[in-house]
Amino acid sequence: MSSILRGPVLQGTLVRLEPLEKRHAAGLALAAEENRGTYAFTWVPRADEVEAYLDAQFARAATGRLAPYAQVSLADGRVVGATSYWEPRRWRSDDRLDAVEIGFTWLAASAQGTGVNAEAKLLLFRHAFEEWGVSRVDLKTDARNARSRAAIESVGARFEGVLRNWSRSWAPGEEDLLRDSAIFAITAEEWPERRAALERRVARFRGTAPAR
C-alpha cells in the first residue's frame, strides 16, 4: 500500500463521501453558516474562512497523513459537512496500514440527527476494516465535548480514556492552548458486531431493512 493516505468515493444511501476538492467550497460555506451552536469545540470554518480551511486540509493531505472528504447529502445533493481519514499508522515491514483515525468531522445543523453521521461512519469503518485491513480505527474529541462523545459512542466506538494536553484546542479563545482528548476506538475483532449494529441503525433512518 502507498504511504500516501488516499480514500476513494464512498457511496451510501443517505450520504456520499467525496474526496475533498476546491469545487466543494461554496457548499461547505453554506453548510458552515447554518446554526453554529454545536461547534464550541470543533474546527468549523466561517464562510469567509473556507478557502483557507481547504488549503490547510490540502497541505495536510500532501504530507500523506490525511485523506479529507466532503459529505454530500443524497436527499438533495447538498454538501453538508466534512470528515477525514487521518494519522495512518504502519508498523509491519510490508507497509500495510495497521490503524487509522477518523477525524476533522463536522456536519451542518440541518444534517445532524438525520442518519448522515451514522452512515458516513459505517462507510469509513467498512472501507478501513474490509479494504485496507486495519486492526483498529480511532476517533478522538475534546474531553469536554459531551455531544461529540455521545455521537462517537452511538456509532459503536469504545471509550478508552483521556489523554491530557494531547492536542491543540479548537475552542474559541483557546488558540494557543492544548486540550485533553477523549479517545475512542473500534478494533477488527469488534467490527463484525459493530457493523451489524450500525447497519440496523442506518436502516431505521432509511425506513428499510438492512441489506444482507
Side-chain angles (χ1 to χ4, degrees), residues 34 49 57 62 82 97 101 117 128 146-147 157 167 177 181 186 199 205:
E34 294 186 18
E49 297 170 337
Q57 293 299 70
L97 190 61
E101 182 177 327
N117 180 62
R147 184 186 182 94
S167 59
L177 300 179
S181 291
I186 296 176
E199 287 176 339
F205 281 105

Side-chain angles (χ1 to χ4, degrees), residues 30-165:
L30 289 173
E33 289 299 332
E34 294 186 18
N35 186 333
R36 296 178 60 89
T38 63
Y39 298 154
F41 301 104
T42 305
W43 183 34
V44 181
R46 303 299 311 225
D48 61 358
E49 297 170 337
V50 166
E51 291 296 333
Y53 169 86
L54 289 173
D55 288 342
Q57 293 299 70
F58 296 150
R60 289 182 174 91
T63 71
R65 297 171 56 218
L66 182 79
Y69 282 101
Q71 302 197 63
V72 179
S73 169
L74 295 182
D76 52 19
R78 291 185 304 126
V79 176
V80 293
T83 191
S84 297
Y85 286 120
W86 171 235
E87 294 286 19
R89 277 101 69 205
R90 296 176 173 88
W91 298 301
R92 288 172 284 192
S93 59
D94 60 4
D95 201 40
R96 282 180 294 168
L97 190 61
D98 292 290
V100 71
E101 182 177 327
I102 294 171
F104 293 101
T105 300
W106 61 272
L107 277 176
S110 62
Q112 296 173 23
T114 65
V116 165
N117 180 62
E119 188 173 57
K121 293 300 191 297
L122 173 61
L123 296 171
L124 291 163
F125 291 147
R126 188 169 62 198
H127 186 78
F129 286 117
E130 299 177 17
E131 299 300 325
W132 287 340
V134 301
S135 294
R136 64 178 278 140
V137 175
D138 309 329
L139 304 95
K140 69 176 184 284
T141 189
D142 192 304
R144 299 167 293 180
N145 193 342
R147 184 186 182 94
S148 178
R149 291 176 66 156
I152 292 171
E153 289 185 322
S154 75
V155 297
R158 178 182 296 182
F159 175 61
E160 295 187 332
V162 173
L163 300 178
R164 296 173 296 167
N165 291 344

